[in-house]
């Protein structure tokens, strides 16, 4: 029997991610798609994915327009920092005040020189100078001092006005720069969501085409086949290796003839748009296979074996980051499946998801603690996936896993990582690989 699993979790994430993004980004406030209000579902239709992709495109277009408008506003405030000069009223006023202060300084310099010259002329009078000559020189010096005093007062006032105008312009520049930064991030996130939505739609269409004419059913969800991670820190440093472990437990009342652990690592740089998985190497070992082995392309670990009801098996894992690994964000997916000789099969309907930060080589790892899954109640045996939260609360992603809280802002947590839609693409990819592996091994 050919076993196939639907892209339940992956496409649900792709559908709900635009909703989470739009709800936290001011730039998209008037562009929330109708898909946001839909009920959680395990199998979004092609039509729903098409709608999600269309809404993601609209959100990206709007974000790109907002980004361009924000840059134009920022450019207006730049004033004397650009060759053309700023056109913002505060930039114009600051430029005028600076010129007035410059002119006042020149006038004061000239007036002070006039005082010096008048004093010198008075001092240079000969002893036999007439009273009229002495009186004229004295009057000239007095007038020069009066003019210099007035010039000094004018310069002080001009300097004060220029400083005040400059402070107002600086405040405007800071505000415009901050606003532009928000718009740049929003545009990057919207682009990532668009890419994820397009990819999820393409994968769903391909899955539908590949599924035509196939016989057989799906494996049954098994919530009591759990995978618990220990020793995985929330920060990994390039150029180092981290050892941690995965315990797979058969909490059901049935014997499982063959259990496979599923482990997949996905990562991006700080932009969230560039995959960096090529810098990671995952190895595993078990009691039955104690020698370290590289994880295969299907992300399955075959060394668990059979599990009796209530039994468990431990998998040792080692994750090595190349020294050239860029700083960014990562996420690890864990799950388990079982296959019986009578053809029955099943496994965790969703993947447990754990976030971690990637630090550049040479960084101090600091105090590391195990990445912890959410304590939210496990969902029913439906294979559904809860939607992301725009509040920053971890969103449940599986039988006992969730987006782990890592101190990221409330705007980034709902989509797993900064620019996390690219990682969601990875989630879709691992689900495709996982279910295809299920089909080939069943």
């Amino acid at each position: 029997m050919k076993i196939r699993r639907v892209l339940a979790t992956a496409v649900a994430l792709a559908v709900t991610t635009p909703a989470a993004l739009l709800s936290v980004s001011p730039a998209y406030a008037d562009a929330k798609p109708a898909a946001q209000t839909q009920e959680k579902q395990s199998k979004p239709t092609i039509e729903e994915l098409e709608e999600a992709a269309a809404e993601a495109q609209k959100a990206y277009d709007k974000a790109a327009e907002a980004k361009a408008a924000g840059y134009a506003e920022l450019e207006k405030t730049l004033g004397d920092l650009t060759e053309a000069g700023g056109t913002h009223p505060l930039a114009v006023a600051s430029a005028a005040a600076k010129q007035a202060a410059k002119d006042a300084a020149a006038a004061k310099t000239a007036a002070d020189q006039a005082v010096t010259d008048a004093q010198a002329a008075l001092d240079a009078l000969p002893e036999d100078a007439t009273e009229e000559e002495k009186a004229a020189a004295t009057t000239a010096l007095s007038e020069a001092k009066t003019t210099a005093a007035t010039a000094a007062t004018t310069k002080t006032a001009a300097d004060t006005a220029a400083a005040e105008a400059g402070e107002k312009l600086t405040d405007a520049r800071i505000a415009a720069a901050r606003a532009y930064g928000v718009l740049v991030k929003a545009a990057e996130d919207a682009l990532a969501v668009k890419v994820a939505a397009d990819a999820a739609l393409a994968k769903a269409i391909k899955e539908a085409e590949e599924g035509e004419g196939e016989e057989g059913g799906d494996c049954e969800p098994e919530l009591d086949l759990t995978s618990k991670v220990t020793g995985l820190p929330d920060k990994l440093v390039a150029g180092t290796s981290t050892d941690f472990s995965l315990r797979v437990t058969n909490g059901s009342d049935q014997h499982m003839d063959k259990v496979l652990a599923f482990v997949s690592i996905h990562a991006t740089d700080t932009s969230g748009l560039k995959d960096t998985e090529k810098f990671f190497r995952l190895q595993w070992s078990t009691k039955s296979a104690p020698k370290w082995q590289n994880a295969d392309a299907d992300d399955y670990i075959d060394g668990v074996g059979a599990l009796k009801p209530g039994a468990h098996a431990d998998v040792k894992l080692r994750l090595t980051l190349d020294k050239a690994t860029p700083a960014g964000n990562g996420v690890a997916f864990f799950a388990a499946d079982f296959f019986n000789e009578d053809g029955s099969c099943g496994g965790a309907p969703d993947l447990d998801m754990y976030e971690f930060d990637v630090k550049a080589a040479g960084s101090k790892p600091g105090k590391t603690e195990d990445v912890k899954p959410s304590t939210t109640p496990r969902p029913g045996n439906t294979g559904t996936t809860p939607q992301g939260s725009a509040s920053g609360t971890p969103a449940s992603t599986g039988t006992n896993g969730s987006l782990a809280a890592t101190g990221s802002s409330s705007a980034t947590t709902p989509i797993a990582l900064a620019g996390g839609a690219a990682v969601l693409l990875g989630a879709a990819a691992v689900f495709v690989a996982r279910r295809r592996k299920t089909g080939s091994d069943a």
Side-chain angles (χ1 to χ4, degrees):
M1 177 175 65
K2 179 76 172 179
I3 303 298
R4 295 184 53 80
R5 291 193 181 192
V6 296
L7 286 168
T9 302
V11 293
L13 282 170
V15 169
T16 59
T17 294
L21 243 180
L22 298 177
S23 67
V24 299
S25 177
Y28 313 147
D30 58 347
K32 296 183 179 181
Q36 290 184 42
T37 59
Q38 67 183 21
E39 294 295 327
K40 294 180 288 184
Q41 54 185 350
S42 60
K43 290 184 63 174
T45 65
I46 297 296
E47 290 74 18
E48 288 169 334
L49 289 174
E50 288 175 339
E51 180 180 355
E55 293 295 344
Q57 179 67 58
K58 291 179 182 178
Y60 171 66
D61 291 341
K62 187 172 292 291
E65 292 176 2
K67 174 184 173 183
Y71 181 76
E73 184 64 21
L74 174 62
E75 197 172 36
K76 290 179 182 179
T77 68
L78 294 180
D80 57 352
L81 299 181
T82 63
E83 294 182 1
T87 59
H88 192 281
L90 291 178
V92 174
S94 178
K98 285 184 177 180
Q99 184 59 50
K102 183 178 180 180
D103 294 342
K108 181 180 181 304
T109 298
D112 290 342
Q113 184 61 48
V115 171
T116 299
D117 294 342
Q119 182 67 58
L122 178 61
D123 294 341
L125 288 176
E127 293 182 0
D128 58 350
T130 65
E131 292 300 324
E132 289 79 2
E133 291 175 335
K134 292 180 181 180
T138 300
T139 299
L141 176 59
S142 177
E143 291 177 348
K145 289 181 178 180
T146 299
T147 300
T150 300
T153 300
T154 300
K155 180 182 181 300
T156 299
D159 289 342
T160 300
E164 291 176 351
E167 289 178 359
K168 291 180 180 179
L169 177 58
T170 298
D171 290 342
R173 285 172 176 165
I174 293 174
R178 287 176 176 171
Y180 180 61
V182 171
L183 295 175
V184 169
K185 180 62 169 60
E188 291 174 350
D189 289 344
L191 177 59
V193 170
K194 174 188 174 303
V195 172
D198 290 343
L201 174 59
K203 289 180 181 296
I205 292 175
K206 183 177 181 180
E207 285 290 308
E209 292 173 348
E210 291 178 349
E212 293 179 357
E214 290 189 356
E215 297 180 354
D218 294 340
C219 290
E220 293 296 325
E222 179 51 76
L223 295 176
D224 292 322
L225 180 59
T226 60
S227 53
K228 181 180 180 180
V229 176
T230 56
L232 176 63
D234 59 6
K235 296 181 180 64
L236 302 178
V237 178
T240 66
S241 294
T242 299
D243 289 352
F244 58 105
S245 62
L246 174 70
R247 171 163 290 187
V248 179
T249 302
N250 178 8
S252 73
D253 57 2
Q254 66 171 314
H255 183 278
M256 299 178 180
D257 295 331
K258 182 180 181 180
V259 175
L260 298 178
F262 180 86
V263 181
S264 186
I265 307 296
H266 291 266
T268 69
D269 62 2
T270 53
S271 73
L273 301 178
K274 182 179 180 181
D275 294 336
T276 58
E277 289 96 332
K278 66 179 181 180
F279 297 101
F280 289 69
R281 184 175 67 151
L282 180 67
Q283 296 175 293
W284 64 271
S285 69
T286 62
K287 185 176 181 180
S288 61
K291 185 178 180 180
W292 285 107
Q293 301 182 47
N294 291 329
D296 61 23
D298 293 322
D299 296 322
Y300 268 97
I301 295 174
D302 297 329
V304 176
L307 284 180
K308 298 178 180 179
H312 67 262
D314 293 320
V315 180
K316 295 181 180 179
L317 297 167
R318 174 171 293 170
L319 185 58
T320 301
L321 280 63
D322 188 274
K323 192 173 183 180
T325 306
N329 304 279
V331 62
F333 297 99
F334 301 92
D337 290 334
F338 74 89
F339 306 94
N340 292 331
E341 293 178 358
D342 62 4
S344 61
C345 62
D350 299 313
L351 296 176
D352 293 341
M353 182 186 294
Y354 297 77
E355 281 188 61
F356 56 84
D357 293 332
V358 178
K359 302 299 183 181
S363 300
K364 293 183 179 180
K367 181 181 179 181
T368 58
E369 300 178 354
D370 287 356
V371 176
K372 301 295 184 182
S374 171
T375 56
T376 54
R378 69 174 65 180
N381 191 4
T382 61
T384 59
T385 299
Q387 296 182 7
S389 164
S391 66
T393 302
S396 177
T397 62
T399 57
N400 62 1
S402 72
L403 298 179
T406 59
S408 56
S409 69
S410 60
T412 59
T413 300
I415 57 175
L417 303 171
V423 172
L424 295 186
L425 272 177
V430 298
F431 268 85
V432 172
R434 186 178 174 209
R435 275 117 196 192
R436 285 180 179 169
K437 175 71 173 179
T438 305
S440 63
D441 285 352

